[in-house]
Amino acid sequence: MPGWIWIVLVAFLLVTLIVGGVYVIRHAISAMHVIGRTGDDVSSRLSRLEADDHRQRNEPPMFTRPLAEAADRYARTQAHIMEHRDHVRNRHVAIWKRWKTFNDLDR
């Protein structure tokens, strides 16, 4: 091989290494910004959880209350769960109805 090809190959290698280094550095800086924002979000959510935890501590435990109160609370929770499941089911049916007629040409 002639000597000038080696010079071209070495130059190409150096350019590739420099471009790769710039790429890695840019993405590392971008990742650090994302990690910083994620850390801020986590810390703000943890602080809100701690604030909520203090409010719940003021409430006496359920086993120290009358049984009727616990039964009422359980019934309300089950009713809420059933309403939520119905809402999800109705939304699911509506989505499938919309998709069933999505590609109809005779609209």
Side-chain angles (χ1 to χ4, degrees), residues 14-82:
L14 290 175
V15 168
T16 305
L17 287 175
I18 291 170
V19 170
V22 169
Y23 177 83
V24 166
I25 290 170
R26 287 186 62 200
H27 280 78
I29 291 171
S30 174
M32 293 304 288
H33 289 295
V34 170
I35 290 171
R37 277 183 274 153
T38 304
D40 291 341
D41 289 345
V42 168
S43 65
S44 68
R45 290 180 185 185
L46 285 176
S47 65
R48 283 191 311 211
L49 281 175
E50 288 175 0
D52 289 344
D53 193 31
H54 291 297
R55 271 189 283 148
Q56 290 177 353
R57 287 186 192 160
N58 295 336
E59 185 177 309
M62 185 55 70
F63 63 85
T64 62
R65 297 182 188 166
L67 188 57
E69 187 178 336
D72 290 340
R73 185 172 174 181
Y74 179 79
R76 283 193 312 269
T77 302
Q78 289 303 314
H80 177 71
I81 289 171
M82 290 170 56

